[in-house]
């Protein structure tokens, strides 16, 4: 009971803080100084029409590198927590009979032909759409993280429709580490060829508004998109009940 | 009707975001099921994102992407602040990572104790 009163009091205090915030709220009518600079100079400086992309990839590129690192660590943590050692598998064999019976009863009925065909037809399109989203990240809404999430949704689709399908851990690990490595290499090239770490002007800025423009931004988003897509696919694969393939 | 349209759009987003934060916090503090606590965390996370986005809003502004609708010369007066949007992008990805790790822990706890009730995990309780 006392616990409940404490929780209620705490929430009430939080609500009071929030109420003050809301009561004194006035909508901005002009951009902040920093936002003004980015909106004013960003397109000329970096050649990217999408200002959010310019901020994420170049002006605040280091934050994004840190973000990719956090995602990598969390994927690695999920892999570590849900890994199956040989000992664990022996433990599983020792589970109570009820559990075993439940597991054998839960053996999947194979998916119907309609589901299989639809998956084979739609999966390449989903992946292609993900690639489209991250390759156009500097021109239109989208970017590496969004495109990567779409690719991972394709993996989710595959795992739901054809749960027996095997996803190569080795392929995921190689693609992921190569794209992460290339991302950092592109960043370091910026130190030598342009203004600083992760500067996108190591390549020609190109025609404003075309696909291959804005210097290294499409390249960086290609690496980020691949890395995020494969990382999230690995996380989804780890959450499967039956762990196929080598650890 | 006029009263309703006079409320700035960002204030509505701000209030909904703060409300979601409170609901999420209530869920995390009162629920005993680990999955529900994780859902509470996700709600709070979403609320924080909404608050951040609403703070970056500029009256009458549009998405900070320069195209036919937003000419490059007039961009400064037409777009919302791109910095909070970029920060929210980062925050969403990190929230996803945290949620994934929490769910992995939930799986481990369930495997170890066959329950998702937090009251059964008494080692770190005093």
């Amino acid at each position: 009971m006392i616990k409940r009163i404490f929780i209620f009091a705490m929430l009430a205090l939080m609500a009071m803080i929030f109420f003050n915030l809301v009561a004194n709220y006035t909508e901005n009518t002009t951009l902040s100084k920093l936002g003004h600079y980015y909106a004013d100079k960003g397109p000329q400086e970096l050649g990217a029409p999408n200002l959010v992309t310019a901020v994420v990839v170049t002006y605040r590129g280091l934050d994004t590198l840190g973000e990719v690192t956090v995602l990598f660590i969390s994927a690695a943590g999920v892999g570590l927590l849900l890994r199956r050692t040989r000992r664990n598998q022996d433990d599983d064999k020792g589970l109570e009979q009820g559990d075993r019976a439940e597991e054998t009863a839960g053996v999947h009925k194979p998916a119907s032909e309609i589901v299989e065909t639809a998956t084979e037809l739609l999966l390449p399109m989903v992946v292609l759409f993900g690639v489209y989203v991250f390759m156009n990240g500097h021109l239109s809404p989208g970017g590496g993280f969004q495109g990567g999430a779409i690719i991972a949704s394709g993996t989710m689709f595959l795992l739901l429709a054809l749960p027996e399908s095997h996803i190569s851990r080795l392929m995921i690990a190689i693609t992921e580490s190569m794209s992460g490595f290339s991302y950092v290499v592109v960043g370091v090239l910026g130190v030598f060829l342009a203004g600083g770490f992760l500067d996108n002007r190591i390549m020609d800025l190109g025609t404003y508004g075309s696909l291959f423009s804005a210097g290294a931004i499409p390249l960086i988003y290609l690496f980020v998109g691949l890395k995020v897509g494969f990382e999230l696919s690995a996380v989804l694969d780890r959450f499967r009940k039956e762990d196929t393939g080598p650890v | 009707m006029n009263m309703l349209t006079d409320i700035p759009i960002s204030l509505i987003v701000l209030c909904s975001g703060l409300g979601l934060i409170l609901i999420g916090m209530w869920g995390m503090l009162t629920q005993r099921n680990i999955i529900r606590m994780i859902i509470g965390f996700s709600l709070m996370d979403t609320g924080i994102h909404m608050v951040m986005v609403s703070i970056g809003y500029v009256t009458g502004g549009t998405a900070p992407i320069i195209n036919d609708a937003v000419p490059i010369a007039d961009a400064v007066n037409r777009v919302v602040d791109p910095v909070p949007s970029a920060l929210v992008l980062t925050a969403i990805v990190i929230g996803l990572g945290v949620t994934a790790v929490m769910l992995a822990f939930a799986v481990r706890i369930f495997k170890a104790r066959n329950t998702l009730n937090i009251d059964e995990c008494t080692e770190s309780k005093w």
Side-chain angles (χ1 to χ4, degrees):
Chain A
M1 194 61 212
I2 288 178
K3 222 190 241 171
R4 272 174 190 278
I5 293 170
F6 269 130
I7 290 169
F8 183 75
M10 208 208 73
L11 287 178
L13 286 175
M14 288 286 285
M16 251 166 68
I17 298 173
F18 290 162
F19 180 76
N20 278 338
L21 235 161
V22 171
N24 299 322
Y25 177 78
T26 45
E27 203 171 77
N28 296 330
T29 47
T30 50
L31 287 176
S32 65
K33 245 184 186 167
L34 190 64
H36 189 278
Y37 177 86
Y38 290 156
D40 191 27
K41 297 283 190 333
Q44 285 94 341
E45 261 183 10
L46 306 179
N50 185 340
L51 296 173
V52 177
T53 297
V55 174
V56 166
V57 177
T58 304
Y59 289 123
R60 298 281 176 143
L62 204 59
D63 289 3
T64 306
L65 187 62
E67 179 185 355
V68 171
T69 313
V70 169
L71 196 62
F72 170 72
I73 291 169
S74 81
V78 170
L80 187 72
L81 284 169
L82 297 183
R83 79 185 188 284
R84 285 237 171 148
T85 56
R86 189 161 295 149
R87 201 151 45 92
N88 267 357
Q89 274 166 354
D90 288 347
D91 283 354
D92 282 356
K93 274 178 197 140
L95 281 178
E96 309 109 80
Q97 288 299 311
D99 262 23
R100 298 305 298 175
E102 207 172 89
E103 248 173 65
T104 41
V107 168
H108 304 285
K109 215 166 59 174
S112 74
E113 204 175 331
I114 296 173
V115 174
E116 266 177 40
T117 315
T119 310
E120 279 161 19
L121 185 73
L122 286 175
L123 191 64
M125 291 190 209
V126 173
V127 174
L128 188 69
F129 182 59
V131 173
Y132 168 81
V133 167
F134 67 64
M135 284 317 287
N136 282 282
H138 57 303
L139 302 174
S140 58
F145 296 98
Q146 296 88 324
I150 292 172
I151 289 180
S153 78
T155 310
M156 184 86 190
F157 180 36
L158 181 70
L159 293 181
L160 285 177
L162 309 168
E164 307 296 326
S165 54
H166 175 72
I167 295 173
S168 163
R169 293 258 164 84
L170 188 69
M171 191 262 290
I172 286 181
I174 289 175
T175 321
E176 198 192 306
S177 24
M178 281 320 287
S179 37
F181 178 70
S182 317
Y183 180 26
V184 177
V185 166
V186 170
V188 172
L189 278 179
V191 177
F192 296 112
L193 303 177
F197 189 60
L198 283 171
D199 195 331
N200 72 329
R201 286 166 292 185
I202 55 172
M203 290 152 65
D204 193 30
L205 282 188
T207 326
Y208 178 81
S210 66
L211 181 59
F212 295 104
S213 66
I217 287 180
L219 199 64
I220 289 174
Y221 256 173
L222 171 70
F223 295 137
V224 172
L226 283 178
K227 188 165 170 55
V228 172
F230 279 88
E231 227 154 47
L232 296 183
S233 303
V235 169
L236 291 173
D237 185 43
R238 285 285 182 187
F239 275 110
R240 277 206 283 187
K241 195 173 185 189
E242 50 276 280
D243 216 348
T244 53
V247 176
Chain B
M1 198 60 214
N2 244 341
M3 282 286 285
L4 271 180
T5 47
D6 282 348
I7 301 172
I9 183 92
S10 60
L11 189 64
I12 300 171
V13 178
L14 183 73
C15 291
S16 329
L18 295 175
L20 272 183
I21 292 176
L22 286 178
I23 294 171
M25 206 165 258
W26 172 82
M28 277 198 292
L29 290 172
T30 55
Q31 298 300 314
R32 311 317 298 167
N33 184 312
I34 293 173
I35 299 288
R36 289 188 186 186
M37 292 164 90
I38 295 172
I39 293 173
F41 172 82
S42 293
L43 282 177
M44 194 180 80
D45 213 32
T46 311
I48 293 170
H49 302 156
M50 285 171 77
V51 170
M52 282 164 82
V53 166
S54 74
I55 286 170
Y57 184 73
V58 175
T59 312
T62 178
I65 296 167
I66 289 158
N67 55 13
D68 302 337
V70 185
I72 191 164
D74 199 29
V76 173
N77 302 317
R78 299 282 286 276
V79 298
V80 302
D81 200 333
V83 181
S85 311
L87 290 178
V88 166
L89 181 57
T90 310
I92 289 172
V93 174
I94 289 176
L96 176 83
V98 174
T99 312
V101 173
M102 285 198 297
L103 284 172
F105 271 114
V107 171
R108 281 303 285 265
I109 289 173
F110 185 75
K111 270 188 189 158
R113 315 188 167 251
N114 248 338
T115 174
L116 278 172
N117 191 338
I118 196 80
D119 289 331
E120 306 277 321
C121 312
T122 46
E123 292 96 343
S124 48
K125 197 176 175 179
W126 68 86

